[in-house]
Every structure is written in structure tokens, then in C-alpha cells.
Amino acid sequence: MRWTFGLTCATALVGIVPSSQAADSSVYHDAETGFTFSQYNAQYAIGRTIAFRIALPSPIPANSAYDAVIQVVAPVDVGWTGLAWGGTMVYNPLSVSWANGNSAVVSSRYATGHATPTTYSGATYELFKTGTHVNRTHWQYTAKCSGCTSFTSSGGRSTILNSKGANSLAFAYSGTRPSNPSSNTSSFVVHDVTGYWNHDFSTAGNTAFTSLVAANI
Ligand code: HEM
């Protein structure tokens, strides 16, 4: 009887439980750089969001590391913001960025505890000339990252993010600018807000990835 009951319940649930976690991102085509991004608007205050956009090469061979283009668009009251590629503060590449004059700075960081992340040579960035600027309301940067989508996580485990599905990412926001904004090794104070989402990488593919990088750099 118990078995029948369990099976009946399980069958009834199939219809209402999603088979996989739905992604929170949507597709965004950027006319300025020509990339198609998968984007998530991370809310850090009521009615205020930071856009985190990711573009990938296509196709990507299975089980191999791959580059990504990241574009972040932040309102001018954002002092610094960070993207955590593994979805937590610790043991994954952190792309930390802030405005600097008419441009922006991206700083490669990694944390093994809940303290200021140190600089990280496992991920390198090429900042694009196109897609990196500041106006009255927003600052933004666009960069190619090598080493953001694969990394050594907690316990020495090798991780390659799933280019064909959703990955759990996280962000941090601070209203305070870094102490030395012109330097990518600047220190900065702790975030005011953090958050998580599921980012669909399967919609981020660009068959012209290499030529688009060359055109924007
Ligand atoms: C001055 C630099 C930083 C300090 C001192 C710091 C400190 C902390 C502390 C103490 C917590 C725990 C909060 C709690 O448990 O309630 C935390 C959580 C968190 N931090 Fe940071 N943080 C810093 C920079 C960053 C950066 C650059 C990121 C990049 C995305 C980040 C992402 C997160 C996230 C996502 C959490 C949520 C818990 C987790 O996933 O581990 N933090 N941070």
C-alpha cells in the first residue's frame, strides 16, 4: 500500500515539478559590439539593476576550457561590483570592476575566505575599446576573459562551467568606490548586497566569436 501511495504521489508531482532549474537570464544582442549575450539584470536596490552579460564561442568542444566575453553595465552609483563565476564568494574566479574616469577597470580576484579577495592570475582579461565607457547614468566594460569558465574549486576539484546549460552565478555590489580606482590591485570595502541566479550559457554562443573579439579590441 505504501509503495502504491508513493508512486501515485510521485506520478502526480511529475506534472508540476520542473525537470531542471529554469534559467533567470535572457538573450541580449548588443548592437555596439555585435555580440549576442546571455544577460541577467541583478537587482541591488529597489528598481536598480546591474546587467551581467556573457558571450561564448560556438561551437565549444566537450570537456575543454573556453574563453568568454563579459559585459557589465552598472548605474553610476555602483562603487564596485563583482561576478562570481562559480556562484559563491570563495574558490572561484571573481571579476571585480569599477568606473575609472571615462573608462572602467576589471580586476581578477579569488577568495578562499570571506575577506578581501586577492589578485588571481588564473583568469586574464583583455579590455575592449568598444563597449567600455562611462556616461551620465552608467559605466560599463566589455572584456574577453581567459580562465573565468574553468577553475579549481573548493577541495581542489577541477570545474568547467556547462556551456550547454545553466550555471549558478553570484554577484556582489558596493556603493563605495575602491580606494585607488586607477589600479586593478586597489583595495575595496565589503559589499552591501550579494545575490545568486541561474545563467543560461546555451543561448550565449557566437559563431563569429574570434572575429568579433578582433573587431572590438
Ligand atoms: C572587501 C572585499 C570583501 C569582503 C571583506 C567580503 C566579505 C564577505 C563576508 C563576511 C561574507 C559573509 C556574509 C554572511 O555570511 O552574511 C560574504 C559573502 C559573500 N560575498 Fe563577499 N566579501 C568581499 C568581496 C566579495 C567579492 C569581490 C565578491 C564577488 C562576487 C563577493 C561575493 C560574495 C557572495 C556571493 C557572498 C554570499 C556568500 C557566499 O557565496 O560565500 N564578495 N563576503
Side-chain angles (χ1 to χ4, degrees), residues 54-57 66-70 85 143-149 201 209:
I54 293 169
L56 302 178
Y66 55 94
D67 291 344
V69 166
I70 173 173
W85 290 82
K144 184 180 87 168
C145 178
S146 304
C148 282
T149 63
F201 279 34
F209 188 85

Side-chain angles (χ1 to χ4, degrees), residues 24-28 37-41 51-54 199:
D24 305 310
S25 51
S26 60
V27 174
Y28 176 83
F37 292 96
S38 175
Q39 86 157 1
Y40 176 69
N41 290 317
F52 291 95
R53 299 177 179 152
I54 293 169
H199 202 110

Side-chain angles (χ1 to χ4, degrees), residues 61-212:
N63 305 319
S64 54
Y66 55 94
D67 291 344
V69 166
I70 173 173
Q71 183 172 71
V72 173
V73 184
V76 287
D77 66 354
V78 175
W80 67 262
T81 187
L83 172 66
W85 290 82
T88 65
M89 177 167 165
V90 294
Y91 293 105
N92 63 156
L94 305 174
S95 306
V96 185
S97 59
W98 54 80
N100 178 43
N102 290 328
S103 190
V105 166
V106 56
S107 176
S108 184
R109 305 285 176 126
Y110 193 96
T112 53
H114 286 132
T116 308
T118 52
T119 55
Y120 174 56
S121 61
T124 53
Y125 297 83
E126 276 188 275
L127 200 63
F128 290 1
K129 285 203 181 68
T130 312
T132 301
H133 42 73
V134 181
N135 66 20
R136 212 172 42 80
T137 61
H138 291 78
W139 57 269
Q140 76 168 68
Y141 80 92
T142 311
K144 184 180 87 168
C145 178
S146 304
C148 282
T149 63
S150 54
F151 49 90
T152 304
S153 18
S154 169
R157 196 165 39 87
S158 260
T159 298
I160 301 180
L161 297 184
N162 178 11
S163 65
K164 296 181 170 53
N167 295 287
S168 171
L169 305 185
F171 84 100
Y173 150 84
S174 168
T176 307
R177 283 162 59 76
S179 51
N180 184 15
S182 64
S183 166
N184 66 4
T185 60
S186 177
S187 60
F188 45 82
V189 297
V190 65
H191 32 75
D192 303 316
V193 176
T194 60
Y196 308 94
W197 72 97
N198 283 307
H199 202 110
D200 189 359
F201 279 34
S202 74
T203 55
N206 288 257
T207 50
F209 188 85
T210 307
S211 57
L212 285 171

